[in-house]
Every structure is written in C-alpha cells, then in structure tokens.
Amino acid sequence: MAKQAPQSDPAQDAPRVSAPQHAAAGLPAVGHSLRMAAEQMGARRTLATLRKVNQPDGFDCPGCAWPEPGKTHAAEFCENGAKAVAEEATERRITAEFFAAHPVAELAGRSGYWLGQQGRLTQPMLLDEGATHYVPVSWDAAFDIVAEELRALDTPDGAAFYTSGRTSNEAAFAYQLFARRLGTNNLPDCSNMCHESSGSALTETLGIGKGSVSLKDLYQADLIIVAGQNPGTNHPRMLSALERAKRAGATIVSVNPLPEAGLERFKNPQNARGLVGHGTKLTDLFLQIRLGGDLALFRALNQLVLKQDGGVDRAFVEEHCHGFEEFAAEARTTDRAEVLAATGLPWEQIEELGRLVLSSKKIIVCWAMGLTQHKHSVPTIREVVNFLLLRGNVGRPGAGVCPVRGHSNVQGDRTMGIFERPSAAFLDALGREFGFEPPREHGLDAVDTIRAMRDGRVGVFFAMGGNFVAATPDTGVTEAAMRRCRLTVHVSTKLNRSHVVTGARALILPTLGRTDRDVTAKGAQFVSVEDSMGQVHSSRGGLRPPAPGLLSEVAIVCRLARATLGPQDSVPWEEFADDYDGLRDRIARVVPGFDDFNDRVRRPGGFTLPHGPRDSRTFPTATGRANFTVNPLTAPEVPAGRLLLQTLRSHDQYNTTVYGLDDRYRGITGGRRVVLVNPADAAELGLAEGEYVDLVGEWKDGVERRAPHFRVVHYPVARGGAAAYYPETNVLVPLDSTADISNTPTSKAVVIRFEPDTGEH
C-alpha cells in the first residue's frame, strides 16, 4: 500500500550534516530506490512497473537521456530513475476536491517538494480571472479558452510555446507544427537553459549540435575525460558504462570543482562485487578545478600537444580541418600564469594529464552543465573540440565529443523542430509536406520569452511539460513576467510551482505519462524518444491511466490545433490524434534520418540517426570542414570578500523535481537550504560551520537578489567557489547574465556575498 501524501511541509525543516561519502550506489541505492518506490506505488505496483523500465517492450525512463546498452539488464534503471518512475506512477491523486480545499495563494506558499508529493493530476482545471481557486473544466471548454486567447492576439508572436525535454518525438513534432501553422517560431525549450552552449559550439565546429560517440565508443576509449559533470546523481547509469570502460583498460580523468562520490568509486548494484565488495575505483586523476577554469585547462593541454613532436595528427588536420594555423598561433602563446590563476591547479597536475593525452590514441570528452552555464561556455566547448581535433579524435572509434543531455527526450525534441531558430532546410521540408509557408523570422528562446512576457509582448504562455517558473533564472523577475500574461497553460502530470504563479487566467491540462497505457479509437499507441547518443527507440506505457478521459500529449496538441485553426485547416489533426503512425509517416518525410520510421522504430533497440562527423568524417559546416577556433582566455572576475556560486542538484532531485530532502553522497539530510563553502574560504570570510546566512547576488545592474536562510556547510569545494541547490538559488541568477552566443543563463557563475540571516525562508 502506498503512503498518503504529506500534509505538512517537511522542506521547511533544518538540514542535518555529516561527512560526505566516497562511493556511489551499492546496497544503500537499492534500498533507497525500493523504499521510495513503495511509498509512492505500493509493493506490487513497484515490481510490475520497474521491470519494464528501459526495456525493448517497455517504456523509456522519464529521467535522464543516457542510452540503453544493446543487451538490457533485467533491472535497467538507476536509483534516480526508480524515483522518477515512482513519482509518475504514484497511486496518489489530485482531484477537484483538493483544489477546492486549497486556494492558489496557499499553494504558492508551499515548497516545490510538497506540491510534487500530492500525486497525479486527474482533470483539467481552470483558474479564472479574479478567482482564488482552480475549478474543474471540460476538455472542450479548456481548448476553447486557449483558442479564444490565441485568436485574440495582435500577432501570433504574442504567444510562446515552451517544451520540456520529456515530450515524445510525436508530440513534439505535432506541437511545433501547430505553432508554425499559427504563425510563430516562439518555441523555447529546456535546452535553452542547459545544453544550448553545446549545440552552438558543436554546430559551428563540427556541423552537428550533438555528440559523436556511442556506448561502444566509450567501451573502446583509451582516455575518458569527464568535465563539469556529476553522473552519480544526474546520470547514474553512466557509471555502469564507465565501469565497463575502466575494466577494458580506459583511464578516467575527472575535472570538477567538487569531488563526486560516483566518480570516485562505483558499487554496481547489478553484480556481487558492487553489492558486497569495494566496487570499482573509477577516477585515475582528479583535477579539482576552479569554477570557470575549464577553457584555460584545455588551452594548456592544446599547447602541450602542439609542443610535442608528433603530438598533432597532421594527416587528419590537413585533410579534414580548417583554421589550424590561426588556432595554433594563439594556443602557443598561452601564458602559464594565466592558466594557473584560472584553474587553481598545480602545473604538475596539468602536465600529468598532458602525458596521459599524448599516450592515448582514442580520447572522449564528456561534459554537462558545469561547462555550459558560464558566460564563456561556447568558447570553452569550442576549445574542447580543438583539443579533440588536434589528435584526430573525431570520427574515430573510441573517440569523440560526448555532451551528456538531461531529460530523456530533450535531444529528440530539437530534432523534431522544437527550436526558435530553425534551419531553412527544415522549414522548406515542413512547408512542402503540409502545403504552407512557415514563418521565417527567428522566435524567442527561454530567456527572451521571459523578457517578452515582462515587457508585455507575449500574452499567452503554453508549456508542454516542465516547471518553467522554477527552472528559469531570476525568480522574482520570471514570476512577475508570468503574472503579466493574459493566459498561462501547463500540460502536466504533477503539480508544481508553475501552476501557482499564473497569468490573469490559467489552465492545468493533465496528461498521460510515460508509464501509462495510451489507447485511442485506433487501438494501443506508442511513442518514440531519442537518447543522448542519437539512438531512436519506442516507449510503451503499461499502467492504467490515473483517471478516465485523460489525454496524451499528442491528443492535447491535435485537439487544441483544431479548436484554434478551425475546420478549414488542412492538417489531419484528428487522424494524428488517433493513430501516431500517421504522424511518424509525416516525420519520415520531413526530418532527415527518419526514413521508414514506422518500420525501424518497431525493431528492438530502434535505430541510430546518421552523424556525418562520426560516420564518415564529413562536416556540414560553413567551410565544409571541422573548424578550429581561436578562443581568448577568460575567467570570471570575483571581488575580494565574495565567492562564485554554482547552482546544482541534490541526489534526491532531477532538474526541478525534488524526490526527497536528502543528498546522501554529500552528507546532507532533511533539508535543502545549505551552501557548501571551502573551510579555508569560510575562515577568511568568518563563516562558522552551521551558521545561517543570507546569500546576496551581485551583478552589474546593482539589483539586490537575495536567497535567505542558508546553513553554511564546510565542504571540500575548490577555493573561491561555493555551491547550493536550485531552484532555491535561481533567484540569484540575473536574467541578463547569459552565455555569449547561446544566451544560456550563467547558473554556474554567480558572484555572491554573505550577510547575516534575516530569518525569512
């Protein structure tokens, strides 16, 4: 029997602190997974559901985008995957009675953790203008409300259509088609806030904004560098791949401002060695780099390679690359003192990594948001590409770029056209297939959408999944912007902060989740997703939906499109809603690489999308070659008496979804309002262990941004830096502090000072 949702709000409790751990997973992970799953689903439902996670005949985990191996294990999920499944497959329900008992103002005072614990949404709900409570509304009435507001706009660009990464390929394609039939490219998505810097850098240098490696490549690599990433919490199944690579002979280097338990030692719960033994030591060399120092590190490595006779793969560079001489001239001038100041590393350690590089023929660099959320993120990733190109480590088995994406289909959504700056080729193909002229003017990304809502240029905000208010920067500005809208709409499975920070009117449209059966008039349906390595496969839920009449994302989009565009619109929306094969046939004719989509996606394991740099060393860039780039050294400027804050996840968290209040590997339990500070920095600043402080952000606009009541935790963070959980600290990230080129918020580079606790929280 599942436990009832909490009525009090334990997220307000004070955190407790113990020593951080030095190994991940093992029996504690198994026990914690099963306990949390049983609390949400009950024992019988837990066993029936978890055995279908990431299986060829089952459903894709709604958590991370790490790919499945060719032969899946009977328990092909990690601890955080089990939590994600439990959250979605919970037996808890939110009905109209819940909303009648809780005014929106009260719900707005609850933590995101409490809201998420209340259960699955079961019927469409409307918050009318001036109302204090959500009330039930029919599906037809809900669609009419949205259609009425959309048609009343002066321009289609007065609407923004946001997408979270968990949306399926089929729903994403229908969604962008609807937006473009309406007449706008305002299609912001969660990539704008996470991996947009990766896409920008890789598109410019290699021609494709995706990773170039497969799981097989990881297993064949000589050297794997994991930079700015914590797979133990954010992508735990990656640890199994790293363990396999290590046992095949790979050397693993971790580059991170914090030591991470999962990269130190992995106790694989799928074998006896992990359950009762010491597990596998993963990291051979740990570089505890200062926040924002990765560009300087890779520049130094490139200088070392250039100085070594035979260090450069001349044949590859001459045949496949452009811009080498300009890059090399700049890299040779790299100043050691600048590198040491930016990285905080001893030169001997950089030289040690350089020796590993020069002795390795096959190198992979993996990264995540630790590299993508700085002002200079795009130049940093371009420098990573320079590093790999120098020794021919693109388009070679066991080598390449590996940006590790977050949500399970965030990469697929972009492939399907969820992009505010679509290519002309994509729009041409879409227009030919559906007989219309798509809008050509670039639309709004996530940050620009907030600015447009703030300034009154966007009046309708529609979100396909996600928790936009909690996921975005500058919380006060974002919430005020959302409240300026005429209508806010959220397609969701669970309650979250975005449902209680609303426009003049608001709708919550509940939808089927990955775990739910999807049956239409044409029979059982399935959807597809693309993982972080370009593999497309099917996903089929098997659970009874949490309420009768619940619609899939595809059905919601199609019914809304018909209600808005009218009966004269030529797109067969009704057919798409009933039979997803029809949608897939259209995708096959529009999106490159999806030929015979319906046939190939039904094969076990699905199919791999083409990738020119990986498959044939062809580079669809402006020069027709892989591009070396010149990236001047830069590092964040931090005034005396201040620290540079990075926002991060706890272990009981996935993006903005908080599963619990513990961060087991870091030794934090029972609360989230903590700030991790190096003991030496704490001593200089007079910050005692256990003291409570307010974090105050500093930026050039002079606006005070305050996150109150955080417990100071002395922790082995790299000097000059600090760390705290989001979304609690998103309030400190200025809306206009973004990465050059990608416009991604600089959530890993927030200058803060510490002030006495105001007592507010």
Side-chain angles (χ1 to χ4, degrees):
M1 178 74 79
K3 290 186 178 181
Q4 295 299 309
Q7 297 309 301
S8 62
D9 199 340
Q12 311 298 343
D13 295 346
R16 301 178 299 279
V17 179
S18 59
Q21 298 183 17
H22 299 282
L27 279 173
V30 175
H32 195 57
S33 301
L34 295 178
R35 183 170 65 255
M36 293 189 76
E39 287 178 358
Q40 293 276 359
M41 298 188 289
R44 181 178 298 179
R45 189 177 176 91
T46 292
L47 294 175
T49 305
L50 292 183
R51 67 184 182 87
K52 288 292 189 179
V53 182
N54 295 324
Q55 300 297 334
D57 62 342
F59 62 91
D60 196 67
C61 177
C64 78
W66 191 252
E68 282 75 67
K71 183 178 181 181
T72 56
H73 192 277
E76 194 58 58
F77 57 88
C78 64
E79 177 184 350
N80 275 1
K83 295 173 189 174
V85 170
E87 281 272 313
E88 182 178 291
T90 181
E91 292 186 324
R92 300 170 185 171
R93 301 288 182 264
I94 295 178
T95 63
E97 289 72 26
F98 171 89
F99 288 104
H102 297 284
V104 172
E106 177 204 323
L107 294 175
R110 298 286 194 170
S111 70
Y113 170 68
W114 187 91
L115 293 173
Q117 288 295 304
Q118 300 310 303
R120 286 287 297 272
L121 296 158
T122 56
Q123 59 193 118
M125 303 298 297
L126 168 68
L127 181 70
D128 221 337
E129 190 165 5
T132 58
H133 291 69
Y134 276 101
V135 297
V137 65
S138 71
W139 282 107
D140 284 343
F143 293 136
D144 285 344
I145 289 169
V146 183
E148 169 195 334
E149 291 284 0
L150 290 173
R151 289 196 295 262
L153 293 170
D154 293 334
T155 168
D157 290 328
F161 297 92
Y162 175 74
T163 314
S164 167
R166 62 168 293 275
T167 305
S168 69
N169 287 329
E170 291 76 11
F173 185 82
Y175 192 50
Q176 63 82 30
L177 175 61
F178 166 55
R180 291 183 169 116
R181 291 288 285 184
L182 188 68
T184 185
N185 282 315
N186 288 349
L187 286 157
D189 75 326
C190 56
S191 285
N192 300 147
M193 295 175 286
C194 301
H195 266 287
E196 200 65 62
S197 297
S198 300
S200 297
L202 295 177
T203 299
E204 178 185 354
T205 56
L206 301 180
I208 295 180
K210 302 180 181 183
S212 67
V213 302
S214 66
L215 281 179
K216 185 178 179 181
D217 289 315
L218 275 176
Y219 305 150
Q220 297 176 356
D222 297 325
L223 175 64
I224 301 171
I225 300 175
V226 183
Q229 184 193 0
N230 174 17
T233 286
N234 301 338
H235 316 90
R237 286 193 302 138
M238 181 179 176
L239 298 179
S240 299
L242 292 176
E243 180 186 48
R244 181 168 171 180
K246 188 70 181 288
R247 294 191 176 280
T251 297
I252 297 175
V253 175
S254 302
V255 182
N256 204 309
L258 284 78
E260 298 290 0
L263 286 171
E264 290 185 56
R265 186 173 294 276
F266 175 48
K267 296 183 176 182
N268 191 335
Q270 296 180 343
N271 59 52
R273 182 176 56 251
L275 288 174
V276 298
H278 294 291
T280 302
K281 180 179 181 293
L282 292 182
T283 295
D284 297 285
L285 177 63
F286 172 45
L287 277 64
Q288 189 166 22
I289 198 166
R290 285 181 177 165
L291 277 168
D294 304 274
L295 172 55
L297 172 63
F298 281 96
R299 268 288 296 274
L301 293 174
N302 288 338
Q303 184 186 57
L304 292 174
V305 171
L306 287 165
K307 286 182 175 180
Q308 177 67 37
D309 289 342
V312 177
D313 185 338
R314 293 285 179 180
F316 173 81
V317 169
E318 291 173 6
E319 184 176 353
H320 297 290
C321 298
H322 173 269
F324 171 77
E325 294 301 335
E326 296 85 350
F327 149 76
E330 176 76 10
R332 289 189 179 101
T333 67
T334 303
D335 182 75
R336 181 181 299 190
E338 280 190 76
V339 170
L340 297 180
T343 64
L345 298 170
W347 185 253
E348 294 76 17
Q349 201 173 48
I350 296 174
E351 285 186 317
E352 183 179 358
L353 177 53
R355 287 191 292 272
L356 289 173
V357 169
L358 290 167
S359 65
S360 301
K361 292 185 177 180
K362 297 173 289 184
I363 302 175
I364 291 173
V365 181
C366 306
W367 70 87
M369 290 188 289
L371 262 61
T372 66
Q373 293 183 323
H374 296 271
K375 182 172 178 55
H376 57 283
S377 285
V378 174
T380 297
I381 296 164
R382 291 192 307 218
E383 197 67 26
V384 170
V385 175
N386 288 340
F387 167 75
L388 291 167
L389 293 178
L390 270 179
R391 292 180 56 77
N393 281 306
V394 176
R396 171 188 294 165
V401 293
C402 185
V404 182
R405 309 279 178 168
H407 277 305
S408 66
N409 198 42
V410 64
Q411 186 160 297
D413 287 351
R414 181 58 57 86
T415 303
M416 290 296 108
I418 301 295
F419 192 30
E420 75 281 358
R421 292 175 285 120
S423 69
F426 178 86
L427 294 178
D428 289 345
L430 190 71
R432 283 194 303 270
E433 180 61 30
F434 291 97
F436 78 114
E437 178 54 41
R440 300 282 167 163
E441 184 177 351
H442 288 172
L444 303 173
D445 64 11
V447 167
D448 284 336
T449 293
I450 297 169
R451 293 169 178 154
M453 292 191 295
R454 176 197 62 193
D455 299 340
R457 291 181 285 115
V458 162
V460 176
F461 178 85
F462 194 105
M464 184 62 64
N467 183 0
F468 188 81
V469 163
T472 45
D474 221 339
T475 308
V477 173
T478 296
E479 293 191 354
M482 191 70 74
R483 290 189 171 105
R484 287 207 65 187
C485 289
R486 281 288 310 149
L487 175 68
T488 52
V489 187
H490 296 274
V491 179
S492 306
T493 57
K494 304 284 294 296
L495 194 64
N496 64 48
R497 177 73 181 168
S498 295
H499 301 132
V500 297
V501 178
T502 72
R505 291 200 288 177
L507 282 164
I508 301 173
L509 305 181
T511 189
L512 297 177
R514 290 274 178 84
T515 57
D516 299 323
R517 285 198 302 267
D518 185 357
V519 181
T520 70
K522 295 290 186 178
Q525 303 296 318
F526 69 89
V527 294
S528 63
V529 297
E530 178 186 347
D531 64 35
S532 194
M533 293 181 176
Q535 188 80 11
V536 178
H537 59 275
S538 63
S539 177
R540 297 173 177 82
L543 297 178
R544 177 183 299 172
L550 215 56
L551 298 181
S552 70
E553 291 176 325
V554 173
I556 289 172
V557 172
C558 291
R559 289 183 60 174
L560 173 61
R562 182 58 75 201
T564 305
L565 302 174
Q568 71 276 9
D569 188 73
S570 61
V571 176
W573 298 109
E574 293 81 4
E575 294 177 22
F576 290 166
D578 280 344
D579 187 356
Y580 304 169
D581 278 356
L583 259 175
R584 284 187 284 268
D585 284 340
R586 299 301 191 101
I587 292 170
R589 295 197 286 267
V590 172
V591 183
F594 282 81
D595 312 82
D596 301 319
F597 188 8
N598 269 310
D599 176 55
R600 292 194 294 157
V601 79
R602 284 174 161 83
R603 301 171 189 172
F607 60 94
T608 302
L609 292 175
H611 190 288
R614 177 198 64 212
D615 301 336
S616 58
R617 286 187 162 177
T618 56
F619 300 93
T621 64
T623 64
R625 290 171 165 248
N627 291 319
F628 280 97
T629 53
V630 175
N631 305 293
L633 285 189
T634 183
E637 295 182 6
V638 184
R642 275 61 173 164
L643 296 179
L644 198 65
L645 177 76
Q646 65 167 324
T647 69
L648 44 67
R649 303 172 185 163
S650 77
H651 189 60
D652 270 356
Q653 175 181 359
Y654 191 77
N655 290 342
T656 59
T657 302
V658 177
Y659 306 130
L661 300 178
D662 298 343
D663 194 351
R664 189 170 71 249
Y665 297 147
R666 297 191 182 108
I668 312 296
T669 56
R672 293 176 51 81
R673 300 188 79 84
V674 297
V675 57
L676 311 181
V677 181
N678 186 287
D681 287 328
E684 290 181 2
L685 296 170
L687 300 173
E689 168 68 44
E691 176 184 359
Y692 277 84
V693 297
D694 287 359
L695 310 181
V696 183
E698 295 186 349
W699 200 58
K700 62 185 180 182
D701 62 3
V703 173
E704 179 181 285
R705 297 174 174 87
R706 183 178 295 266
H709 195 67
F710 276 70
R711 174 178 171 161
V712 174
V713 176
H714 291 183
Y715 198 86
V717 184
R719 289 295 306 271
Y725 305 131
Y726 70 82
E728 290 85 352
T729 49
N730 284 355
V731 65
L732 302 173
V733 184
L735 179 66
D736 294 326
S737 178
T738 60
D740 294 337
I741 302 173
S742 68
N743 207 31
T744 295
T746 58
S747 299
K748 299 294 186 285
V750 183
V751 176
I752 60 167
R753 69 177 187 268
F754 299 85
E755 292 190 356
D757 178 21
T758 57
E760 302 174 5
H761 66 286

